[in-house]
Amino acid sequence: MYHQESWLNGGYFHLKKGNVNGKQIVSNEIIDIATTVQSPNSLDVELPQKGYLWFVKDLKSEIGELVSKGSFQILGYTGVTLLVIPQHNLVAVRAFNSFGSPSGFDYLADVREFGNTIMTCLIPACH
């Protein structure tokens, strides 16, 4: 299992569009493609919008409703949620480091609540 610091570094890498310490490691165009909506226009608007591997906050997503449009997140098999909110220059991660969920646990509702909690900490008007 990965440590939260590794996830944070990955999120920060995408937040900074592939630039590390002033050096462009991956072209920002590639990062933009990965973190903006690439779902086909024919996709039902009620379905989550995705980039490449990332859920993107646009119309409908697994990201909380309070989270800024243009944000993106990736979900890990062991309960990891990595959320990047470019509008606030923020990367947030949480990890359960466990496989599976208890009976009756609504994983996606919990993931959305994670993003909403981050936003309530950032924006006093959301309190």
Side-chain angles (χ1 to χ4, degrees), residues 56 60 75 110 116 118 123:
V56 179
K60 174 89 173 169
L75 307 175
D110 190 65
N116 289 337
I118 296 299
I123 302 173

Side-chain angles (χ1 to χ4, degrees), residues 4-127:
Q4 289 85 343
E5 186 176 351
S6 297
W7 285 94
L8 283 169
N9 287 335
Y12 189 74
F13 181 80
H14 284 80
L15 175 68
K16 296 302 178 184
K17 299 185 179 272
N19 191 301
V20 177
N21 297 323
K23 183 175 181 185
Q24 197 68 43
I25 306 297
V26 174
S27 78
N28 57 0
E29 290 87 5
I30 290 174
I31 300 295
D32 284 341
I33 289 170
T35 59
T36 57
V37 174
Q38 301 299 320
S39 300
N41 292 334
S42 60
L43 185 69
D44 184 341
V45 295
E46 290 300 310
L47 294 175
Q49 305 295 299
K50 297 181 182 176
Y52 289 110
L53 302 178
W54 294 90
F55 290 100
V56 179
K57 179 67 182 260
D58 190 50
L59 300 173
K60 174 89 173 169
S61 80
E62 268 70 15
I63 302 174
E65 59 274 356
L66 299 178
V67 178
S68 309
K69 189 174 180 177
S71 298
F72 47 95
Q73 77 179 6
I74 197 165
L75 307 175
Y77 181 70
T78 59
V80 172
T81 302
L82 171 62
L83 175 62
V84 180
I85 309 173
Q87 180 181 0
H88 294 284
N89 199 36
L90 180 100
V91 178
V93 68
R94 63 123 191 225
F96 292 143
N97 288 331
S98 64
F99 297 103
S101 299
S103 179
F105 179 72
D106 188 339
Y107 176 69
L108 291 179
D110 190 65
V111 165
R112 288 183 191 102
E113 187 58 32
F114 170 67
N116 289 337
T117 300
I118 296 299
M119 292 305 293
T120 59
C121 293
L122 286 173
I123 302 173
C126 291
H127 292 285

